[in-house]
Each structure stands twice: as C-alpha cells, then as structure tokens.
Amino acid sequence: MKFKGNAWKFGSDIDTDKIIPAVYLTTTDPKELAKNCMEHEDPKFAPNVKKGDVIVADKNFGCGSSREHAPIAIKGCGISCVIAPSFARIFYRNSFNMGLPILECDGIFKVTKPGDTIEVDMDSGTVTNVTRKKSFVASPVPPFMQELVKSGGLMKSIKKRGLV
Amino acid sequence: MRPMTITEKILAKHAGKKSVTPGELINAKVDIALGNDITAPIAIKEFRKIGAKKVFNRNKVVLVPDHFTPNKDIKSAEQCKILREFAHEQKISHYYDGGDAGVEHALLPEQGVVVPGDIVIGADSHTCTYGGLGAFSTGVGSTDLAAAMITGELWFKVPETIKFVFKGKLNKWVTGKDLILHIIGDIGVDGALYRAMEFTGKAIERLSMDSRLSMCNMAIEAGAKSGIIIPDAVTEAYVKPRAERKYKFYTSDPDAEYAQVIEYDCSKIEPKVAFPHLPENTRNISDVGKVRIDQVVIGSCTNGRFEDLEVAAKLLKGKKVSDHVRLIIIPATPKIYSEAMDKGFFKTFMSAGAIISPPTCGPCLGGHMGILAEGEKALTTTNRNFVGRMGHPKSEVYLANPAVAAATAVKGIIAHPDEMVKRKK
C-alpha cells in the first residue's frame, strides 16, 4: 500500500476534543464529522484538506477520549495516513480496527513543513518527504495488526474466524 | 512460574494461560462490555452490519446513556433511541435509562456490576476507573466494543506496569484526585503510554474507595492502559454488600517485574490544580496565584461520588457562592443523589446558591448543563482541561478536588479549602 499527498502539520498531544469536539458527537456519519474535524486547532483544515493528504504530527497523537468519531472524522476528510512519533493507545487501536492507516515514525515531523509532499510505503514502512528529499523508516507494524488490516479490520477478521 | 503483577495475573486467568509476559498478544474473555450513548451507536451499527443477531451474554453487556442525557437535543435523542431499542431487543439486563441512569463509572461499582478480578472493557476512555476495585479495566473504541459484544472476548497486548509507591501520610484536603494529578504533573500526559499503573504504599491503603476510584479514573490522562490498586479490607467492605457475582482478589507477587518504580513522599503533596490546557500542567494550590473563576462544577465520573458531595456540603454550609460564580453540582448516580438529599446536602447547596443537576456527564465534555462562553474560566472536579473541553475554544478549565472546588465557588478565585475553615475560628 502506497500513499502520496500533501502534509498537514499538527503539534504534540493532539487530543480527541481537538480532532472532533464533543458537541459534534451526536452523529456517526463520516462526512458530517469531517466538516468539523480539527476546527479549533486549524480552522483551514476541514475546508481545504484534499483526498490523499497526510497528517504529520508530534508525539501522543489522539490522546483523550475513546471516541472512534476521531479516526472516522480524519478518514472522512480523505486523509490517507497519519504519521507521528507516538499515538495514544485507544486511538492507535481504533485506527487499526476501523481502517485508518497510521505509522509511528520519528524524525519526519522535524523536517516537514505544511504543504510538503509526503510519500508513504506502508509495506516497507518508509516515509519520505519528497519536497525535502528526506526518508525515514517507521516502527514496523506488529504482524498481528498487519493481519487485522489485511482482513479489512476487526469486524471482518472475527467474521473470518467464524465468531459471528 | 514467572512472578507476575496483579494486571498480568488477571489477564493470564482470562486468557486461559498460566502466565503472560508484557508485550505478548492474547485473546481474553471479558466479564463486562460497556457502552454509552456516544460510543454504543457505532458499535450497534457495526454489530448489525456484520450480521450478528445476539450479544454473547445479555447479562455481561452494559449500556448506559449518560453523556448527553437527559437528551440535550434531537440528534442526541436519536442516539439514545438506538441504545434503547437495541437494549430491549437483546434483553440487556444492565441497561439504565431515565431515573435509573447515572454516570457510568460511578454507577457500575456502586451497583455491584463490576467486581474485583474482572476484565472490563468499555467504549469510554475512563473505563480504567474500575482498577480501584482491583479489576483490570480499560477503554477501547466502538469497534472493539462491537467485537466483544458478539464474541465475549477481545485481543490485548499485555502491558508493562509502572509501580507508584506513596509513602507516609496524606496532608489535609489531599485526596486520590490530588495524587493522580501529582503523578500526571510529574510524568506527563503520555508518561505511562501503553502501560499499566499500579498504585501502592501506606497512603493508598488508607484511601477510601471513592478516592481510589477517582484516582484510577484518571490513569488514562497519563496515557495508561489501566490503573489498579491491590484489593484489601477497604475493597472487601465496599464490594461485599453489593457484588452481583463472585469476585476474586488478585495481588502482585513480591518479586514481580516492573518497567519502573516511582516513589513519592506524601508529606510533600498539597492539593493540586491542573491549569489549561493539559492535565499535566499541575501546580500546588499554594502556587496558584489569583485566578478569577466564572463557573465551578462538582461532579463527573472522577468526583461526583458521595464523599465528594459530602466534603463540598461541609465547606458550603452557611456560606454563599460568590456573586460572579455559577456553582453546578452533579451527583453522579440516582443513589448518590438520593443519599445527598436525605443527608440535607441539597438544602446546604441551594442555600449557598448552587444549581443541582440530575446525574449526567453534561458539562464535563462540553455537552450541556453548563457550557462556557468565550473567555470564561471554570474550576471543575472533572478530568480533562483540553482546549474547548467545556465550551468555547477560548474558555479555560482548571481541574481540582471537590474541597478546592467548594472553596473556589465561595471565594470567586481559586482558593485553598483552609481559607474557609480558618475564617470560622
């Protein structure tokens, strides 16, 4: 799986209230949620984000609540991949379970400026800032999680195992 | 056999294994799978989408509409309706609606639904609260909840554990809330990322159950997977009269391995206040300075329990809330509400000029029942002070314990509870 898109940059400890404020949690529709994604953090994000764009953030991305509306909103915006040095654990789990590609990667945050072109190769875990001509290797996705992604998420994987 | 922590033992038992090691991926049976009016609708959608017909056990799935209830608008009413219809269709025995509903993490221990030794997963990040009872409990997302509702089990990565040892005696006014804020201030909001936190030491042994629950409640604010306290006589006294099921006390082996051991001297810990906009921005109450407050909230899954209202009532007796402060008190469950009323707390609160809300998460996550305008500042006993958490993105939230909250409501600026008592003399 390969992605190429423009970078949106966010800082450290981006919490789920920043990703999607609680007041919008009265719907589960990805398109509706996408409209208000990151609205307090960067009001230009939701109206301007393009399909295939990439989020490059600093440590502990997605901390706070367990709301799956957060990865749903990000995916709803058309974001192809989120890259950060570390993720909050519920967000990490949710992303794999519902099929938002995320990568733990050090280094890329420092060299990236908003709008840079980022290329991601999920299979080799290589993250390249094409604009700055710099490449980094992400932490490998555990085989168990890779299987989960290959099965099409947690629900499809339990169906596959005959548990439904 | 390798020595294990309490967390490892509970996980091993539920995975049908003799022992587990941190980092290991396991499938474990869950005793309770919990959802609320925000997270369960997505889980129910996933449940139906995959063609599931029945939950694995109608007594082990718990649904609590508590976040935007009593329904704050038409959309939230629709979400609650999804829960209600699903609960009736599946004959869910632990479904709490209307006058039975309370803030989930106060309600479940109180009703004896969660017991020591359990594995509890909840599509709510503060599910880690039940570690106060000696259960392994952790927050997950809606898809995880859907999977657990169908199969009765879920995958876990066995976490490493950080042990926190609280030595000595607690200072006056210091509660479990202050201890957890102290830790978060020390290690940061990702200081325990992916790990379990085990709270031990003489001071923890002396903590009340209400205080233990509020301490474990905020383990997630340090990024942890779970927080836990080894069950003891305090646990037994709390659980025995209310447990609906058999329970088991687990303990950590003396030679169990920890990723880290951190010791604190309680004589140095004061009541804490977390400044905007992260729970790690903690200060000692004596270092706060003059911060004018517009709203005080006493409630939530962190501090809406009986003991929290009791200390607030003690401090508010015969006092008036400052004329520029709105004090909102939210008993977390119908039982706490009723007990507070019987004890005469409501009379004290109302004479002081407070608002008493029905049980709800309400303002804690900026839902309803006390939203902040631009530029307003709130001091609350809740658990998060992120940007816009209680309303306008340019409002501010300060976190503290209920005694600090009561003193602040009267003084109009963030205040030490001692200031209220001294005046009496």
Side-chain angles (χ1 to χ4, degrees), chain B residues 184-398:
Chain B
I184 300 164
D186 182 31
I187 68 173
V189 291
D190 60 350
L193 194 59
Y194 303 125
R195 289 169 164 173
M197 301 168 94
E198 188 176 316
F199 308 119
T200 65
K202 280 274 170 274
I204 302 297
E205 288 166 23
R206 290 194 202 101
L207 276 188
S208 68
M209 186 48 71
D210 281 2
S211 225
R212 291 178 185 196
L213 292 166
S214 91
M215 187 169 184
C216 291
N217 172 272
M218 285 185 72
I220 179 68
E221 297 343 313
K225 182 169 201 147
S226 56
I228 200 161
I229 292 171
I230 310 262
D232 57 12
V234 173
T235 320
E236 178 70 20
Y238 181 85
V239 171
K240 202 177 176 188
R242 59 189 90 218
E244 336 184 297
R245 285 177 287 120
K246 273 195 191 158
Y247 50 92
K248 190 172 174 191
F249 282 13
Y250 289 85
T251 189
S252 292
D253 292 325
D255 47 353
E257 276 175 42
Y258 293 91
Q260 216 180 333
V261 178
I262 301 176
E263 292 186 0
Y264 296 111
D265 173 2
C266 288
S267 70
K268 291 184 181 140
I269 300 176
E270 286 183 40
K272 295 275 165 181
V273 178
F275 274 52
H277 290 284
L278 281 177
E280 70 185 24
N281 297 333
T282 57
R283 292 192 201 171
N284 287 327
I285 182 84
S286 55
D287 301 330
V288 160
K290 194 177 168 186
V291 184
R292 192 180 191 268
I293 291 296
D294 303 288
Q295 176 168 300
V296 171
V297 177
I298 299 175
S300 84
C301 60
T302 315
N303 280 121
R305 297 187 179 80
F306 184 80
E307 200 177 272
D308 303 319
L309 303 189
E310 189 177 38
V311 70
K314 210 164 108 188
L315 289 169
L316 289 167
K317 187 134 192 143
K319 301 276 181 8
K320 285 274 176 210
V321 170
S322 161
D323 55 11
H324 64 81
V325 171
R326 311 176 295 268
L327 169 60
I328 301 167
I329 298 177
I330 313 174
T333 69
K335 186 165 185 271
I336 296 166
Y337 193 99
S338 156
E339 282 174 4
M341 198 162 59
D342 292 346
K343 291 272 182 190
F345 297 171
F346 281 15
K347 199 159 185 255
T348 302
F349 296 154
M350 294 187 79
S351 305
I355 302 157
I356 302 165
S357 157
T360 178
C361 303
C364 171
L365 75 163
H368 62 156
M369 217 62 93
I371 303 305
L372 301 174
E374 181 172 356
E376 287 192 327
K377 292 182 166 69
L379 181 124
T380 94
T381 68
T382 56
N383 42 54
R384 287 190 178 132
N385 54 355
F386 300 153
V387 173
R389 176 75 177 176
M390 197 170 271
H392 196 280
K394 285 188 181 143
S395 61
E396 291 184 353
V397 175
Y398 297 74

Side-chain angles (χ1 to χ4, degrees), chain B residues 11 24 223 227 375 403:
Chain B
L11 287 170
E24 190 179 339

Side-chain angles (χ1 to χ4, degrees), chain A residues 17 68 87 93-94 97 155, chain B residues 50 141-144 155 389:
Chain A
D17 282 274
E68 211 157 298
F87 291 87
R93 231 182 135 104
N94 282 346
N97 285 344
M155 295 312 280
Chain B
I50 203 157
S142 297
T143 304
D144 276 319
W155 68 270
R389 176 75 177 176

